[in-house]
Amino acid sequence: GEGEMFSGVIDLLSMKFRVFHEHSSGTTFDDLDVPEDMLSLANEYREKLLEAVADFDDHLLERFLHDQPIDPKDVIAAVRKATIASKMVPVLCGSSYRNKGIQKLLDSIVDFLPSPLDKPPVRGHAEDNTEKIIERKASSDEPTAALAFKIMTDPYVGRLTYLRVYSGKVEAGSYLYNPNSDIKERIARLLRMHSNKREDIQV
């Protein structure tokens, strides 16, 4: 559907028709079989998807060429590989009205986009010596390194600092050194935002 008639999307990976419940702000839905009147078009585009990603997975290519059943997990893995290689751009449908499709978007970020483990260690220089290069791996065992990229004031919570953590851990009650002000700042508490598969942390 379109506009006010928009009610759901067809997922070409799982071949399910996700229908959102009205008045649920997109948080609840049913995954149903693809309706008969949409099945032919859905199969056509699923075949195009499988043909495109088969080049990135020999096992998937073999099953595709022999018309054998394909596990959705294998397709997700192939789409992820193609996306990280910048050979494919996943497209999702949804609506900002009542947040329809937001859960699938968050899940797709986890499924398809590179995680910190897919990237090389972040590099920077020592505060007291710009010639000295320091690397930090994406590991909780490393010293904590983070970037405060946004500060805002919430009328109910107070000042919020958004952090991107490159290495180490950030815990409530701990202190982080701020090189800009040359002081240690205390982390009062953490606020968590949830998706279906992970937690993003705001400080």
Side-chain angles (χ1 to χ4, degrees), residues 95-113:
S95 171
S96 59
Y97 180 65
R98 291 183 177 161
N99 301 317
K100 293 178 179 178
I102 296 300
Q103 290 82 6
K104 194 66 178 177
L105 172 62
L106 293 174
D107 291 345
S108 295
I109 289 172
V110 176
D111 287 338
F112 304 133
L113 298 187

Side-chain angles (χ1 to χ4, degrees), residues 1-9 20 22 93-95 97 100-101:
E2 298 180 7
E4 294 181 357
M5 301 302 294
F6 176 72
S7 60
V9 294
F20 302 100
E22 290 298 325
C93 298
S95 171
Y97 180 65
K100 293 178 179 178

Side-chain angles (χ1 to χ4, degrees), residues 109-130:
I109 289 172
V110 176
D111 287 338
F112 304 133
L113 298 187
S115 79
L117 298 178
D118 296 311
K119 295 292 186 178
V122 65
R123 305 179 77 213
H125 62 76
E127 181 189 9
D128 57 351
N129 183 359
T130 57

